[in-house]
Amino acid sequence: LCGKRREHRDYVMLSLEQSGLLDQSIATYRDIFVGGNITQTPQRVLDEFPGQTLTWPYVSPNLNPAWEVRENLDNSISSIEPWEIYNRTYYSILVETLGTGNCYLMAEKIGKCLHARRLFVHFGVAHWLKKLRSFGFQTFDSIIDESYDSIEDDIKRWRAAFEQVQWLSQQNHTEVLLKAKRILDHNHRRLYEFRKEKFEEMRLMIEPHLR
C-alpha cells in the first residue's frame, strides 16, 4: 500500500484490519509520499466500517527493517521491487494509483507484480483487468472470481475484490501458486514483449520529428 493516501487504500487497510488479515500480512501505509493525499477517510468508506478507526501511518510489525528496499525511504523507492518481502509472502494486494473514475493507468505497481510473477487481487477503477488483458496479459479468473472488475460502484467493487483476498488466505497456497504458474510465467514474458512494442511505437512517433 506504499504510496500517497487515497480512498481505496484506506478501504483496503480497514478491510485487512477488520478481517484479521492485517496480522498475517506485510503491509505499509506510510506518510512519506507527498502530494495528493486525503486528510481523512471519506464517509462512504467509513460507513463500511462503523466504529473502526484507520491506523495511519502504518508499518507492519511483520516487516523486518532489513527487508526494506533502501535505508532512506522516499518517493524514489516506488519502482523498486521488494524482493525480500515477496519471498516471504504468497500474493499481492495491488492497489493501483487510481481507485475511482474511468481513467486507465498502468503504474509501476502492476509492473512489479508482472515482473516478479505475483498473483494479485486488484483494487482500482472498474474494467481495469479487462484492459490489462487487452494488452496480452492474463489474469487469474481461472483461480479467483474476478467478476469484481466489472462492478461500476466503487465500494461494491472493492468489497467484492476483498472477498477474493479472504478466499485466497484460506487456500492451500502451494496448490494455488502451482495452478497460477503458467499465467505468471506468461505475464513475465509478455511484460518484456510489451516494453519492446511500446519503445518501438515511441520511436516511430518521435523519429519523423527529428529529421
Side-chain angles (χ1 to χ4, degrees):
L1 295 175
C2 185
K4 291 185 278 291
R5 185 174 173 188
R6 292 206 169 127
E7 182 178 12
H8 57 313
R9 291 173 182 155
D10 281 12
Y11 185 95
V12 172
M13 282 297 295
L14 288 164
S15 296
L16 285 169
E17 189 165 13
Q18 183 186 69
S19 66
L21 291 179
L22 193 58
D23 294 337
Q24 303 176 39
S25 305
I26 299 177
T28 62
Y29 198 14
R30 295 185 165 107
D31 58 354
I32 62 174
F33 297 86
V34 298
N37 290 2
I38 61 172
T39 57
Q40 60 184 19
T41 304
Q43 190 59 47
R44 67 172 182 163
V45 173
L46 290 175
D47 289 342
E48 288 284 293
F49 307 93
Q52 191 173 335
T53 303
L54 176 72
T55 302
W56 182 84
Y58 177 83
V59 177
S60 172
N62 298 325
L63 175 62
N64 186 325
W67 305 341
E68 296 280 19
V69 297
R70 185 177 290 166
E71 184 175 346
N72 297 314
L73 303 177
D74 55 30
N75 290 30
S76 64
I77 70 169
S78 296
S79 60
I80 303 175
E81 286 157 299
W83 289 109
E84 294 295 336
I85 294 174
Y86 285 170
N87 290 337
R88 292 168 172 83
T89 55
Y90 296 106
Y91 317 115
S92 287
I93 295 177
L94 173 59
V95 188
E96 258 298 357
T97 301
L98 302 179
T100 62
N102 55 15
C103 178
Y104 185 83
L105 174 66
M106 285 182 69
E108 81 287 346
K109 303 164 190 66
I110 180 59
K112 289 190 286 189
C113 283
L114 297 171
H115 184 255
R117 296 180 170 90
R118 300 289 292 179
L119 191 160
F120 60 85
V121 178
H122 172 254
F123 289 80
V125 301
H127 311 295
W128 192 93
L129 293 177
K130 180 180 179 181
K131 186 70 173 180
L132 184 68
R133 290 191 292 268
S134 76
F135 293 133
F137 296 99
Q138 297 175 6
T139 58
F140 307 101
D141 54 354
S142 61
I143 299 172
I144 61 176
D145 181 0
E146 292 186 332
S147 61
Y148 66 82
D149 187 56
S150 63
I151 300 174
E152 298 287 346
D153 181 276
D154 297 328
I155 297 295
K156 292 180 180 178
R157 181 173 63 258
W158 303 336
R159 186 190 304 148
F162 196 78
E163 288 174 359
Q164 299 311 300
V165 173
Q166 291 177 293
W167 183 86
L168 280 170
S169 73
Q170 300 165 2
Q171 304 310 302
N172 181 306
H173 307 309
T174 301
E175 292 180 1
V176 169
L177 292 178
L178 183 62
K179 189 174 182 180
K181 186 178 185 305
R182 178 188 57 78
I183 299 171
L184 300 173
D185 289 344
H186 168 85
N187 287 342
H188 182 83
R189 291 191 302 269
R190 177 60 190 149
L191 181 63
Y192 284 94
E193 296 170 354
F194 188 68
R195 178 173 179 263
K196 185 177 180 180
E197 291 167 6
K198 293 305 167 185
F199 279 173
E200 179 64 12
E201 288 178 14
M202 287 190 288
R203 185 187 68 80
L204 294 174
M205 178 178 66
I206 293 171
E207 273 192 353
H209 301 283
L210 299 177
R211 295 170 182 167

